[in-house]
Amino acid sequence: MRQFKGLLALTLLKLVARLPLSVSRALGRGIGRAIYRFEWRPCRVARTNLALCYPSMAPEQREQLCRQRMLHMGQTVCETPRLWRQPSAWLDRHVTAIEGIEHFESTLERDDGTIFLVPHQGNWELVGLWLAARTAMTSLYEPPKLAPLESWIKGSRERSGATLVPTNARGVSALLKALKSGQAIGVLPDQQPPESGGAYAPLFGVSALTMTLVHKLLQRCNAKVVFCAALRDRGGWQLHFLAADPEIHSDCEDTAVGALNRGVEQIANLQLSQYQWEYKRFRSQADGGTSIYDR
């Protein structure tokens, strides 16, 4: 049964990858409307997170933000297969603007390596593809749960030149090796790590278990850190590059992870409706209390 589900999902991905961008986005908005209308789990989680992170925001404003987020979530799901299968020239034509390009260009002049931090904002897959086409890039990769999808997805992500490594000790060693060779790595900084790889720090005013990987890498190299995002617009996507808070280089772990979370907030605030609020970001609590999510 699992094999069948994997093959079915792969067939759907390949079909969606053939759709024009405008059609895939329209399909995604339709899916998002259904998720909001029937209050499926992504909608409920987003509503919980928004209430937790923005308690002073008017309830009707939070609800509107939740609805908008579901539309963007659906578009991300439906447009990404097409992104994976397009050449770099297609991606370049659909990048409508680049803000903070100087932060990216400055990384090309360094020999100390660069950590590109790509929060789950807009379409983070586009950021990885765009970067890998311009600089040697190594990123962590966790295979999908459905095995038939792995080869197609991994091959699609590597088409632009990226090197994908597993999310284990071997993968972390590969990241450090790339940095010490003066190359770039990509990290999604707002995923919840295991307890052994995280520390609690404020995120949108809420204590969140936050990865210490970036801090540990920076303790062993002098890499530059840049935050990135690709925000959806009518013609494609706008790329944004932001310099990290200097405190991310602090020797103090708590200070460094706090700076990392402030960078995530800065990226999310570019357009709140495009941030991944449907992720159970606060499911672990420092006091070991019960989950804030219904299930």
Side-chain angles (χ1 to χ4, degrees):
M1 178 59 72
R2 196 173 187 82
Q3 181 74 6
F4 172 76
K5 288 182 179 179
L7 292 173
L8 178 60
L10 179 58
T11 299
L12 290 174
L13 281 177
K14 290 181 176 180
L15 289 174
V16 172
R18 293 177 173 271
L19 297 175
L21 182 61
S22 59
V23 176
S24 64
R25 286 183 169 180
L27 175 62
R29 289 192 295 272
I31 293 172
R33 290 188 186 97
I35 292 172
Y36 180 78
R37 169 67 178 81
F38 295 105
E39 297 192 340
W40 291 337
R41 185 173 62 180
C43 176
R44 299 196 306 272
V45 173
R47 190 177 285 137
T48 297
N49 282 337
L50 288 168
L52 185 67
C53 297
Y54 295 97
S56 62
M57 183 183 289
E60 59 272 18
Q61 186 178 353
R62 285 201 307 265
E63 193 61 26
Q64 176 66 10
L65 187 54
C66 178
R67 180 181 180 278
Q68 291 173 348
R69 173 56 204 158
M70 294 303 99
L71 300 183
H72 279 294
M73 184 190 72
Q75 289 178 87
T76 299
V77 170
C78 291
E79 73 189 12
T80 297
R82 183 164 179 81
L83 282 180
W84 283 336
R85 305 308 292 179
Q86 296 302 312
S88 294
W90 185 93
L91 297 178
D92 291 345
R93 289 197 303 272
H94 288 81
V95 172
T96 59
I98 303 178
E99 298 291 335
I101 187 63
E102 67 275 10
H103 298 302
F104 169 72
E105 291 176 339
S106 68
T107 68
L108 304 179
E109 303 168 358
R110 295 170 54 93
D111 296 324
D112 296 328
T114 303
I115 301 176
F116 288 106
L117 297 180
V118 189
H120 289 82
Q121 168 77 315
N123 195 311
W124 52 94
E125 292 285 351
L126 182 136
V127 178
L129 295 170
W130 190 92
L131 289 171
R134 288 161 175 79
T135 187
M137 188 83 170
T138 301
S139 301
L140 293 176
Y141 170 72
E142 185 171 358
K145 294 179 180 179
L146 298 176
L149 300 180
E150 180 176 0
S151 177
W152 193 81
I153 293 177
K154 187 172 185 290
S156 298
R157 285 174 166 171
E158 292 179 330
R159 284 178 55 148
S160 60
T163 299
L164 301 181
V165 296
T167 55
N168 55 26
R170 183 166 64 89
V172 173
S173 295
L175 295 182
L176 183 60
K177 181 179 178 180
L179 290 173
K180 288 188 173 181
S181 298
Q183 298 179 5
I185 68 168
V187 176
L188 302 173
D190 51 350
Q191 291 179 309
Q192 181 172 289
E195 289 279 352
S196 60
Y200 286 91
L203 178 66
F204 304 109
V206 182
S207 180
L209 184 61
T210 304
M211 66 165 58
T212 55
L213 171 62
V214 174
H215 170 69
K216 291 174 180 176
L217 290 172
L218 289 172
Q219 292 301 293
R220 301 184 62 182
C221 67
N222 189 35
K224 183 180 178 68
V225 184
V226 177
F227 279 87
C228 324
L231 296 184
R232 183 175 300 103
D233 69 11
R234 183 179 297 274
W237 299 267
Q238 298 177 8
L239 283 175
H240 292 259
F241 295 95
L242 285 72
D245 185 324
E247 288 192 345
I248 203 168
H249 294 274
S250 173
D251 292 336
C252 173
E253 182 178 86
D254 289 343
T255 300
V257 296
L260 184 148
N261 278 352
R262 288 195 295 275
V264 171
E265 293 171 358
Q266 194 175 4
I267 288 289
N269 284 328
L270 291 173
Q271 190 171 342
L272 286 178
S273 62
Q274 293 201 34
Y275 188 67
Q276 187 181 244
W277 296 107
E278 67 277 7
Y279 178 60
K280 294 182 179 181
R281 184 65 182 86
F282 306 103
R283 61 185 181 273
S284 289
Q285 300 177 46
D287 60 4
T290 58
S291 174
I292 63 171
Y293 305 106
D294 55 4
R295 60 180 180 272

